[in-house]
Amino acid sequence: MTLLHLDPQVVKQARGLAARACEPVIEMAKAHTTVAVERATLRLAGITGADTGHRAGDVPWVNRVVDSIREQCGLEHGSALPAFHALRSHNLGSLTELAEATAAGMIQYSVPTGKDRTAAAKAARVAISAGIRKVDRSRAQRDKLITKLGDPAQRPWIYLIVATGDIDEDVVQACNAARAGADIIAVIRSTGQSLLDYVPEGATHHGFAGTYATQENFRIMRAALDTVSAEVGRYVRLTNYASGLCMPEIAVLAGLQRLDMMLNDSMYGILFRDINPIRTFVDQRFSRQVHARAGIIINTGEDNYLTTADAVDAAHTVTVSQLINERFAHEAGLADWQLGLGHAFEINPDVPESFRLELAHALLARELFPDAPLKWMPPTKHMTGNVFHGYLLDGFFNLAGMLTGQSILLVGMMTEAVVTPFLSDRDLALANVRYVLNAAGKLAEDFQPSPDGFIVKRAHQVLGEAVDLLERVVDDGLLKAISVGTFGLMKRPPDKGKGADGVIAIAEDYLNPAVELLETGATR
Amino acid sequence: MTTTDKKVVRPYGDTTGDGMVQLSFTVPVPHGPLAEGAAQQLAFKMGIDPAMVVHSHAIGADFTFVVVYGSVRHLIDLTEVQVVEREYPLLSPTEVNATLKRSLRRKMVIVGACIGTDAHTVGIDAILNIKGFAGEKGLEYYRELKVINLGAQVSVPELVKQAKTEKADAVLISQVVTQRDAHILNTQEMAAAFNESMGERRPLLVAGGPRFDPLMAPTLGVDRVFGRGTTPGEVASYLVHAVSHRKVVAA
């Protein structure tokens, strides 16, 4: 499909610039580790559970161990060597025993050398590769279920959100949504989880405007959706969020529990959560390597830019961010079919020709990333509480999605910004989608924008502005561009933000078997 | 037609005085005559008479969605309508920025923190982070506000020190944990510390949290208290109102 007649040279130039903009950041990411990467590594090695006896409430064992290693011998050599050396020298059976002994103050961590180092490295690799093979088995299981049950009959796939705060209620709502036609269920997280520097434990029932992402909650929901998948005769996918301070750990838990999609944006945490830029890029790289291995489709967050900046003026920043997200994703080993690049229907409906502008932007994304499962996000900013107008707007959003061949359609709610959706709101929203699919699902076959018309010209203009901006980003450096407010209007300097103290420059003898296994694809 | 001199009115469908309204809701009854009858009964109890169920359809096996049209019996006596006067107008981000630019001629500085041992930053982050809350962007989004979020477990002396260094116009503190009235004691301690160290020149003090009652402000020694469900826009609008008001008093 080439309706826009984009100049292949310009497209190539845009990708080249994105690669150049990302290169220094990738090098920086390779030269650092974070407390979250080290915790994710030990989670792959099998550590689970929490210290329930701590006065500050449940502290995951993995946090106790990594914090102690950092205190006693630093993390610049990685956590694997000190942890597995301690395991051996104290003659302990498991990492959980090690964690308990750590909490009791019985362990003194040190970085082993010589034969001790070789032995610790070997033991670490054995344990971590067992975790990686679990991720591999989850992926194989997903493939098997998709072969057996099948993918959704239509594109776009229909994506619905549940968010009750209680995992048991979420299960009820998710199963009902699947029966009503949802192909993908996303469980929104509790407000503020992205700023917790640990992953809560166990099944949870009291979230704020969402449900905590925990390994047990992941397991419960995936099991429920497996049952409902068999009932509805198609594989219903599960989505959660690998964003915030625990990106790498949540990516590991998602891989182990067979989640199918994860929100994972290269810059969202920096811009919208004020998380330290370096922390984010280091965590992002590791988490995406895990997603790549797990066969998970990532969803990026470009829609967020349009909720803070004007959707017409800032259209090119979406394109730039998509190209940057693509580059980081490819570098981390993700294939095109795993790139759910985001964009949104957020132009002010009072702007003349707003629908034609939306079509131009949506087609541009479609043609720039022909093999990516693009995620098309509904209007939120201009949903006013006039639910009748909102319903019409969602209809146009659905039509734009069908007409421009979007892959994943997040179902818009007419009660957006009014209340959390009623049962009937979700039902009406799905009826809206079904009507448009049924009435105009194949309209794309007849849709040929005039080669020198409004839509084509607008798409070329946005791509041109994106190239200009990428040139500036390459000249200034991506970190500088972020610090002066290029994206989403937020200014985020590289030395500021939450989680900055969890970033560690790695030493020459740094060892992380997880990174080796992920980068080489090895299983042992 | 003017309505200004009218005392008693009814909803308007297409004829003055027809009282026509529309209503939609879901009943937990399987689709069928019983569900429609149930909807009609509710509409009648709400004062809609006659009530017409113009549409109904099943949502799953156990629920029915209905649309009802009808005429309400009730009259609206405009002389009895009491409008809640907010002490300050609710402003859009653009209006907040424009007003501050005009009245302060510099950015307004806001320092936020969770004080005491409270580690729950969910409240302060919902108000300050650009991500925001309830569809509204947080205060970081406002161009004319400079926001410094100190995060969790900030001690009162540290908060006072930072507020002085940053020349804060307003200090926002959030308290979620209420064990042994910690939220009240912490807030009082904070207010006392600001009064002692800065007196009249202290910044505006604003406390927020799910267990606070807005009427508690005098007891707590702060200028304003926000309770559960407060959105960033309300806080921003209040701040604009409060600094403009303060300026007038000072001058």
Side-chain angles (χ1 to χ4, degrees), chain A residues 205-219:
Chain A
H205 307 281
H206 302 284
F208 302 89
T211 308
Y212 286 103
T214 72
Q215 183 166 10
E216 179 62 7
N217 286 348
F218 285 1
R219 189 197 64 74

Side-chain angles (χ1 to χ4, degrees), chain B residues 163-208:
Chain B
K164 277 185 179 169
T165 315
E166 300 287 349
K167 296 194 172 65
D169 295 292
V171 170
L172 271 55
I173 64 113
S174 169
Q175 291 282 274
V176 174
V177 172
T178 55
Q179 269 166 353
R180 289 188 293 272
D181 283 338
H183 60 310
I184 293 172
L185 300 173
N186 284 339
T187 308
Q188 286 170 335
E189 184 196 341
M190 183 233 15
F194 272 103
N195 283 326
E196 190 179 320
S197 123
M198 301 175 81
E200 287 291 295
R201 299 170 57 84
R202 73 162 170 79
L204 274 171
L205 300 178
V206 179

Side-chain angles (χ1 to χ4, degrees), chain A residues 176 191-192 195-196 208-209 268 271-274 304 307-309 381 388 416-417 422-424 427-428 488-492 498, chain B residues 22 25-26 57-60 63 65 107 119-122 125-126 129-135 137 140-141 143 149 151 176 228:
Chain A
N176 279 326
T191 300
L195 299 179
L196 298 180
F208 302 89
Y268 172 83
L271 300 172
F272 295 93
R273 284 304 194 181
D274 195 14
N304 288 288
T307 62
T308 51
K381 193 178 175 184
F388 305 101
E416 176 74 40
F422 291 177
L423 183 73
S424 54
D427 180 72
L428 288 166
L489 300 178
M490 294 314 302
K491 296 177 182 162
R492 304 299 192 198
K498 302 179 184 85
Chain B
Q22 63 192 5
F25 54 91
T26 302
H57 72 250
I59 302 181
F63 295 92
F65 177 69
K107 290 193 180 193
H120 297 75
T121 57
V122 44
D125 287 327
N129 267 193
I130 190 167
K131 169 80 180 171
F133 175 65
K137 297 291 162 204
E140 282 190 333
Y141 172 63
R143 196 170 300 127
N149 187 348
V176 174
R228 175 174 283 275

Side-chain angles (χ1 to χ4, degrees), chain A residues 1 4 154-158 318 322 339-345 358-370 372-378 396-410 437 441 444 447:
Chain A
M1 183 174 71
L4 296 174
Q154 85 296 325
R155 279 283 189 176
W157 290 351
I158 295 168
V318 168
Q322 288 167 338
L339 306 186
L341 299 170
H343 57 146
F345 189 94
E358 294 285 11
L359 289 180
H361 299 173
L363 266 184
L364 175 61
R366 182 66 286 167
E367 296 204 355
L368 272 181
F369 308 99
L374 297 180
K375 185 180 180 198
W376 183 227
M377 305 282 285
F396 271 56
F397 157 77
N398 291 333
L399 181 61
M402 314 287 166
L403 203 50
T404 59
Q406 303 302 315
S407 317
I408 299 166
L409 185 138
L410 196 154
L437 256 177
F447 177 52

